[in-house]
Every structure is written in structure tokens, then in C-alpha cells.
Amino acid sequence: MSNEQRVRRAGVLNPVVRWLIVAAVLVPFVPLVIWSFSFRWYFPDLWPAVWSGRAWLSLSAAQTRVGLALWNSLWVATAVTMLSLLIGIPAGRALGLYRFRGKAVVEILILAPTIVPTLAVAMGIHIAFIRLGLADTRLGVVLVHLVPVTPYMVLIMSSVFGNYDVAYEFQAQTLGARPWQVWRYITLPAIFPGMVVGSLFAFLISWSQYLLTLLIGGGRVLTLPVLLFSIATSGDNALTAALSLVFIAPAILFLLLTSRYLTGRNLVLNT
Amino acid sequence: MSRPRPYLLLAPALAVVIVLFGGGLLLAVGQSLGLWPIIGPSQLSTAAYRTMLADAAVWRSLALTLWVGVVSTAVSTTLALICALALRRPLRGQRWVNFLFQLNIPIPHLVGAIAILFLFSQSGLLARLAYAAGLIHDPSDFPALVYDRYGIGIMLEYVWKTTCFTGVILLANLQALGADYEAAAQTLGAGRWQRIRYVTLPLLRPALLSSSILVFAFTFGAFEVPFLLGQRANSVLPVLAYRRYVDDDLTTRPEAMALSVLISVVSLALIWGYRRTINNGQRAMSNEQ
């Protein structure tokens, strides 16, 4: 076939595949949205027989405990994010700016929690937390959430510091700046975008944790995923759908923010 | 720069990893060997491991876990490759497609599992479409895709999420590789499939291998999705371990620990394989140049 025919043939298949991809990614969200607005939707109806905002309204009712779960999730995720910043920024500085003995080992150690499932860690440390009185408490949950969160924060901050020119700090010092001024006017503004990205990651990872909260929180610390799971198994599909959509709201926000934060450049795809 | 500075800066992070992560693993290993039990005397013993290896339920669970892991990884990597090859040419609306392609990456697996439930259960959307098309007359006529013995619903959720995850990694790799190698092959007369088979795929091999390992390691230790979508009779290893852990019979705790240690050992072996793969990949790339 001629070159023109070849180009035209390639051009037809590609958009079809693209639409299939978009459809496959979006289709699972469709029943979530429809269920959340349904009141009566029995088999074999393709549309709800009775629509209603009942599920959404009941989210704010006290007996569904959504308010409590939302508050706990926010509390824990925010605490985890703050702590992980305190832990991750100095660690990132060390890994990004210094060369030292054992650096490769440290890197493997810090990244290990990303591949090893947290199941054994949670089960193992549970007994220590019980003895220390940390089990069934929000503080215990915050501490255990640090395990999956720390590697990502350190990874992001170390790449930030890897691109950071520490000479600016020296210049400021020669101009008479005190350490806190160097931090406030030189370092902090430079690493701030990385801090934002790291914070979004940390928040999202903590927000989505189920098993860790279930094991260490012992059912006493009610976070959104724990509540969502029990509602999902209760059979109230409308409430499940509505709560699912609330639960993924930060994730969608995260995607929008990271897509636009770096001057319109997409973090992951580098477009 | 003074010598102790980097170690001081790393102290908090290392504390988290060594005390919380390492300590947790160590305590799990210890409890699997009979130390620090909830009830009864502390006594070093391999009884939990012997019970675990003799338990038919454990072997069935391992089989299911491997089945789910291998099939999900194979299917999602293949689909991800197709998607990445299709998406790499910037056409109109590229930014939207790229954005949507990553949409499900930050979505928690629990919600993905709920969506799969709504779509593929016997009274789900797909079943209702089948009824409307006259293919079935009753929910029970629709094949069991969730709560089933092959973990199909579980695999569907994994494929949905990890295809996009792997696809994004492959796309990034394709963009970093650039079009030069394939252009050179094309000037030498290679057709489209030949270029993909002899140029693109070999160049993508490290990325394909390493993301496959990551995906498999994830499915091996994942809990939420099989906990929601799996059947009671046989579940994957993490769910089995959890059930043994929260069992009213406190003497099953060491077995639960042994199972979780097994899962961790497999994952550690996979990290090692992952590092080997990317190191070989980097060496291969630098040899190419």
C-alpha cells in the first residue's frame, strides 16, 4: 500500500484504542455515581426506579458516623503528613546533598517498606503497641501510618535536594545571614514545591490506609476506609456509593493539583 | 561539611524504618517462632511453621495467591504495553487522555473493588445488561465473577488499577527513549511490527520486568480487595493470615505470624530481583550508548 494509505490506516485504529482506554478508566465510576443517587434500583432495571438524594443526606446524619470517621481520617492524615515532613526533609537533605559511607544501604532500608507489605509489620508491632498503650489509639495509628509514608516523603525530598544548589546557602551566610534566615529565605522557598508534592503523597497514603488502621486501631479508631468497608458489606449500595465518592475526593483533588502545580507540566508523564 | 551531619539528619527517618518497620518485622518473626505469645509460655519453637506447611488450606491459599498474581500481572503488563504504544504519539486532546489515563492511580483500591462489585456481581450492571439483551433470566444465571473460586473480580480490579500504573511508567520510558532507534530501523526497511518486536520491546525490557515485579509483589501482599471480593472458602494469603490473627482462638496467632513472615520473605526476594533487573537494565542502556 502507499505511504498515504499506511498513515491513514494507523490514524483510524489509534483514536479507537484511545477511546477504549478512556472508557475503561471511567466506566467503573458510572455505577458509583448512579447508585449514590438511587433510592430503589433492583435487578434487572438499568436505571434506578426511584431517584433520591437520601444517601447523600444520610452522610451528615449522626448514626451513619461519617462525621466521626471523616474527622478521624483528617486528624490522622494531617498528623502523619506533618510528622513525615519533619522526618523527610532532613533525611532528603542528607541523601540529596551528601555522599557518605553506607548511603546505598540506607537507601535500600528506607525504600524497603514500599515493597514489603505492611501486614507483617502491623501484626508484629501490635503486641508492642498493646504493651505501650498505643493500640486502639489515634496516636498508635499515626505512628504505624508513618511506615508506608516515610519512604515516599524521603524519596521526593531527596530528589528535591538533589536538584538544589547549596551554594546559595553559602552565599547567604557570607552576607551575614543567620541559620534560621538561611532556612527561611533560601532553603524553604526552594524546596517548597517538593514539600507540597510530598505532603499530598503522605496525606493520600495515610487517608487510604485500611489494614493498618483496622489492626492497630482495633476497630476503635474509625476512619473513612474502615467505615466504608463495613458499609460496603452491609448491602446499602446507595450509601456505599455516596461515601465512596466522598472518600476519593482528596485523591481527585491530588491529581488536579499535581497536574497543574509544576507550571502546567505533568509530574509523572513529563508533558 | 562535618562527618556526623548526614547521619544526624537521617536519624528520624532511620528510626522509623529500623524501629517501626524493622522492629515490627522482628516481632512478627519472633512471635511466629513462639516468643512473646499472647497466652501461654514463651518458648522458641518452629511449631507454627510446621503447622502452616501441613495445612492444606495454606497451600490452597498460596495457589490462589500465585494464580491471581501471575494472571493479573501478565494481563495488566500486556494491556499497559498496548496502551503506552497507542498513547505515545501526541495527537489532538493528548493532555486530556494523559490526565484520564492516570486518573485511577490515586484512587484507593477499596473503591475500585466496590466499583467492580457494582459492575460485575450477579445483580450488577453487566448482569442487568445481559438480562436486557435476553442472555439471562435470573441473577443466578450470570456467572459468578465476584466471591468466586478463581478470584476473577479481584483480578479485574488489579488489572484496572495496575494497567494504568504500568502504562504510565512505560510511557515515561518511551518518551525518554525517543524515536531515534525506531527511525533508524525504519530507514533500514523494518515494518511496524518488526520495529516493535526487535527495537522497542528489547529497549523496554528493563521497565517491563521491573514494573511486573512491582505489580506482582503488590498483588502478593494486598489485603483490601480480596477481603472484599474474595470468597470465604478459600482466600489469598494476606486474608488468610488476617483471619488467623483475629481468630477467637488465640493459639492461631503464631500461625498468622508465620504466614505474614512468609509473605514478607517472598516480597524481600522480589525487591532483590527488582534491583537486579534495574541494575542490568542500566548497564544495558549505557552499553547501547
Side-chain angles (χ1 to χ4, degrees):
Chain A
M1 68 180 86
S2 73
N3 267 335
E4 264 176 15
Q5 286 172 312
R6 215 177 269 136
V7 166
R8 228 176 287 134
R9 256 192 78 192
V12 165
L13 190 61
N14 200 302
V16 169
V17 175
R18 279 163 188 251
W19 278 112
L20 278 175
I21 293 173
V22 168
V25 171
L26 291 179
V27 154
F29 294 103
V30 170
L32 280 179
V33 175
I34 303 180
W35 267 112
S36 73
F37 285 108
S38 72
F39 185 69
R40 209 173 290 149
W41 193 16
Y42 297 131
F43 185 93
D45 299 340
L46 288 176
W47 290 114
V50 182
W51 297 79
S52 138
R54 172 199 74 92
W56 290 99
L57 286 175
S58 67
L59 284 180
S60 54
Q63 58 262 53
T64 43
R65 300 192 296 166
V66 171
L68 172 67
L70 190 60
W71 171 246
N72 279 336
S73 280
L74 276 174
W75 196 100
V76 168
T78 309
V80 170
T81 306
M82 299 281 123
L83 280 176
S84 69
L85 279 171
L86 288 176
I87 293 170
I89 293 176
R93 190 184 171 94
L95 289 176
L97 289 181
Y98 293 79
R99 227 177 310 169
F100 53 91
R101 250 223 314 241
K103 187 171 179 183
V105 175
V106 169
E107 284 172 342
I108 299 184
L109 270 179
I110 291 194
L111 286 181
T114 57
I115 285 216
V116 178
T118 44
L119 181 71
V121 176
M123 281 198 210
I125 211 156
H126 192 205
I127 194 155
F129 273 29
I130 292 175
R131 299 269 166 89
L132 291 168
L134 287 170
D136 296 4
T137 67
R138 277 193 305 207
L139 179 59
V141 171
V142 166
L143 284 177
V144 85
H145 280 197
L146 282 177
V147 173
V149 162
T150 304
Y152 287 98
M153 182 61 91
V154 173
L155 194 67
I156 291 172
M157 292 319 298
S158 74
S159 92
V160 167
F161 277 105
N163 294 325
Y164 173 69
D165 191 353
V166 77
Y168 286 117
E169 290 184 7
F170 296 148
Q171 283 189 4
Q173 284 169 348
T174 59
L175 292 171
R178 302 233 191 75
W180 71 267
Q181 287 172 316
V182 174
W183 162 257
R184 164 103 170 65
Y185 294 108
I186 308 286
T187 322
L188 187 59
I191 65 173
F192 190 72
M195 281 172 62
V196 171
V197 173
S199 302
L200 291 174
F201 263 91
F203 188 88
L204 205 61
I205 293 173
S206 170
W207 181 263
S208 321
Q209 284 301 316
Y210 175 67
L211 180 63
L212 289 185
T213 315
L214 189 67
L215 271 175
I216 303 297
R220 293 280 184 78
V221 180
L222 186 70
T223 57
L224 269 182
V226 175
L227 180 65
L228 179 58
F229 196 95
S230 72
I231 290 181
T233 49
S234 74
D236 188 343
N237 286 353
L239 189 58
T240 306
L243 191 56
S244 299
L245 291 172
V246 169
F247 183 43
I248 65 175
I252 307 287
L253 203 65
F254 164 92
L255 202 64
L256 290 172
L257 283 174
T258 52
S259 277
R260 251 193 272 140
Y261 197 92
L262 295 161
T263 60
R265 281 176 69 233
N266 183 296
L267 242 197
V268 183
L269 284 184
N270 212 34
T271 54
Chain B
M1 298 176 195
S2 56
R3 277 288 92 189
R5 196 90 203 288
Y7 299 106
L8 272 172
L9 291 172
L10 283 167
L14 286 176
V16 167
V17 175
I18 294 176
V19 173
L20 288 177
F21 175 74
L25 280 183
L26 213 68
L27 287 171
V29 170
Q31 288 175 75
S32 72
L33 291 171
L35 302 171
W36 315 298
I38 286 268
I39 57 168
S42 177
Q43 190 180 12
L44 198 65
S45 125
T46 56
Y49 287 97
R50 280 180 274 128
T51 317
M52 176 181 88
L53 291 171
D55 191 349
V58 171
W59 290 103
R60 280 199 305 270
S61 175
L62 177 63
L64 180 64
T65 315
L66 288 173
W67 160 255
V68 166
V70 168
V71 173
S72 312
T73 306
V75 171
S76 72
T77 305
T78 310
L79 287 178
L81 185 60
I82 297 173
C83 291
L85 289 174
L87 289 180
R88 64 170 161 169
R89 225 178 313 164
L91 299 180
R92 221 177 33 183
Q94 182 71 14
R95 282 184 63 177
W96 277 113
V97 177
N98 286 344
F99 174 74
L100 287 172
F101 190 54
Q102 314 165 54
L103 184 68
N104 74 7
I105 293 182
I107 303 289
H109 282 279
L110 182 55
V111 173
I114 291 173
I116 296 291
L117 202 57
F118 287 164
L119 280 174
F120 294 103
S121 73
Q122 285 178 310
S123 60
L125 209 54
L126 217 68
R128 298 172 193 219
L129 284 171
Y131 181 92
L135 294 168
I136 62 170
H137 300 290
D138 192 78
S140 53
D141 292 341
F142 192 76
L145 296 175
V146 292
Y147 313 128
D148 66 310
R149 39 191 302 220
Y150 299 109
I152 297 179
I154 302 171
M155 293 194 285
L156 283 169
E157 204 277 342
Y158 288 162
V159 166
W160 183 65
K161 283 268 296 182
T162 59
T163 299
C164 296
F165 170 78
T166 306
V168 164
I169 292 179
L170 291 178
L171 259 177
N173 269 271
L174 282 172
Q175 284 176 342
L177 285 171
D180 295 346
Y181 295 110
E182 290 172 39
Q186 195 171 9
T187 60
L188 292 170
R192 187 134 153 266
W193 295 115
Q194 286 174 316
R195 291 202 300 277
I196 292 179
R197 196 171 148 212
Y198 294 111
V199 180
T200 320
L201 278 184
L203 284 174
L204 280 180
R205 206 166 138 257
L208 283 169
L209 273 177
S210 59
S211 50
S212 299
I213 292 176
L214 277 177
V215 168
F216 184 81
F218 159 73
T219 65
F220 199 78
F223 176 77
E224 298 162 21
V225 178
F227 197 41
L228 185 69
L229 298 179
Q231 59 165 180
R232 274 218 74 101
N234 185 23
S235 27
V236 300
L237 282 176
V239 175
L240 186 67
Y242 174 79
R243 291 225 172 97
R244 295 272 160 91
Y245 187 76
V246 298
D247 199 315
D248 293 328
D249 179 2
L250 291 174
T251 60
T252 60
R253 288 246 167 137
E255 277 172 58
M257 297 291 171
L259 281 168
S260 68
V261 167
L262 171 68
I263 297 171
S264 306
V265 165
V266 171
S267 310
L268 282 168
L270 288 167
I271 305 182
W272 181 78
Y274 172 77
R275 280 194 68 81
R276 285 279 308 272
T277 316
I278 54 173
N279 284 341
N280 288 342
Q282 283 170 349
R283 231 175 291 133
M285 284 294 287
S286 54
N287 283 341
E288 300 270 344
Q289 263 103 30

